[in-house]
Each structure stands twice: as structure tokens, then as C-alpha cells.
Amino acid sequence: MIHSIDHIGIAVSDLEKAKELYRLLFGVESFHEEVVESQGVSVASFELNGIRIELTAPTNETSPISGFIEKRGEGIHHIAYRTDSLEQDLERLDSAGLKLINHAPQPGAHNMMIAFVHPKSTGGVLMELCAEKK
Ligand code: ZN
């Protein structure tokens, strides 16, 4: 079951600049930082009352974040929803005819398994489903 918002992913081109901005905006003192090679991203995240904000920068030119920034500029990239049944959700959405970007869970940041649903199927918002690694 999909039960809560896990995080909001924000595409940034320069992680250090973005961290400076969020320090200024929210007084964030420390970020959790991580590179997710398989997704081509480097992430700096912090929490606001239980909701994580993930500043996500591309690590190379073929990163999906590079493509996104090229097309649409920096900004909200995706909303991630927490589920406790990732495989079943993917099956359910797939059989309902939604366009999945990942048909199987992939490793994500924060030791989570993740999968993306295409914005063409979700009203224009890239949707990530994430679940704790079993
Ligand atoms: Zn995410």
C-alpha cells in the first residue's frame, strides 16, 4: 500500500550552490550526502518535519537529471511516495496500463528500493515509489 510522501526530489545543476541556498532558506546545518551511481545522481538531503527534501544533481551528461534540466530547467523533479508493497504496486499500475519507467525496483538513496512511474501517466508529475530494502 502506498501510504505517505517520502521525499520531494529537486533537480539542481550545482549541488554546492543549492546547499548554500537551502542553508539560507531553512537554516539547514547538515545534509545527508550520497552518490547513487546507478541513477547518475549525487544527492544532498535534509528533513523538514519528517518529509525529506532531496537536492539531486547529475553526476554525468547521460544522467536523467541532466536531460531534465536541459529540457525544463532546475526545479521540482519528482514526488516520492512510500509504499510497503513496491512489487505489487508496480504490477498493479502496469496492468492498469500506466507507463512505468522501472518495471522492477532499483537501488536508490537512503538504502531504499525505488521505481519511477512516467509523468505521462501521472498528470505530468514524475512519481517515484520507494520502499525499505527487505
Ligand atoms: Zn527520489
Side-chain angles (χ1 to χ4, degrees):
M1 191 179 73
I2 299 169
H3 55 77
S4 55
I5 292 181
D6 186 80
H7 64 270
I8 297 170
I10 298 178
V12 304
S13 49
D14 182 328
L15 204 53
E16 291 309 312
K17 266 196 196 153
K19 280 162 60 187
E20 250 169 64
L21 174 62
Y22 280 79
R23 271 191 199 107
L24 177 74
L25 289 170
F26 299 113
V28 180
E29 283 170 9
S30 73
F31 294 87
H32 167 93
E33 294 197 54
E34 187 173 347
V35 174
V36 185
E37 240 8 290
S38 57
Q39 303 282 332
V41 297
S42 102
V43 174
S45 60
F46 64 96
E47 272 193 26
L48 271 183
N49 197 25
I51 296 195
R52 206 161 63 236
I53 306 292
E54 290 195 354
L55 308 173
T56 307
T59 55
N60 59 60
E61 279 162 24
T62 58
S63 163
I65 298 290
S66 296
F68 178 88
I69 291 174
E70 225 164 80
K71 257 208 248 160
R72 301 172 60 171
E74 294 181 302
I76 293 182
H77 180 254
H78 63 271
I79 298 182
Y81 298 90
R82 180 77 78 102
T83 176
D84 47 24
S85 54
L86 183 52
E87 282 94 349
Q88 293 93 313
D89 292 324
L90 291 174
E91 263 176 46
R92 180 172 59 83
L93 299 178
D94 191 32
S95 53
L98 272 70
K99 189 174 176 192
L100 305 181
I101 294 174
N102 307 112
H103 288 264
Q106 312 286 316
H110 294 272
N111 207 28
M112 304 286 276
M113 295 306 287
I114 65 170
F116 285 99
V117 183
H118 200 282
K120 280 195 175 131
S121 290
T122 56
V125 180
L126 176 61
M127 177 182 186
E128 177 186 325
L129 296 176
C130 64
E132 278 176 51
K133 254 185 203 158
K134 283 176 196 156

